[in-house]
Amino acid sequence: MFTGLVTHQGIVLSIDVDSMGQLCVIQHDLGVLTIGESISINGVCLTVVSTTPTQLSVHVSPETLSITSFK
């Protein structure tokens, strides 16, 4: 459950938009993440689709874009 407490900040490196939504690449200092892990970004629960030790990527669906601040 998201508590509303901010524990880390990331830097958006890129946003690629296509008909399936957005792919956001974010620089982070969270340590090791795994593909499929859930992460809250701006209060929106998203799934990690790729990761390196310092970057993560999340896919934002059209539905999520329509009902959150990500648009």
Side-chain angles (χ1 to χ4, degrees):
M1 174 187 288
F2 179 62
T3 63
L5 299 175
V6 175
T7 61
H8 291 80
Q9 290 183 319
I11 298 169
V12 177
L13 299 176
S14 66
I15 299 173
D16 293 319
V17 179
D18 63 22
S19 63
M20 299 300 293
Q22 293 180 349
L23 181 68
C24 300
V25 179
I26 301 165
Q27 182 179 334
H28 69 82
D29 64 353
L30 297 169
V32 176
L33 298 172
T34 58
I35 294 173
E37 188 169 355
S38 292
I39 186 164
S40 178
I41 300 175
N42 284 4
V44 178
C45 187
L46 299 170
T47 302
V48 176
V49 296
S50 68
T51 184
T52 72
T54 59
Q55 293 181 12
L56 65 91
S57 297
V58 294
H59 177 259
V60 185
S61 71
E63 177 67 14
T64 300
L65 289 170
S66 73
I67 62 173
T68 67
S69 61
F70 273 81
K71 59 184 164 195

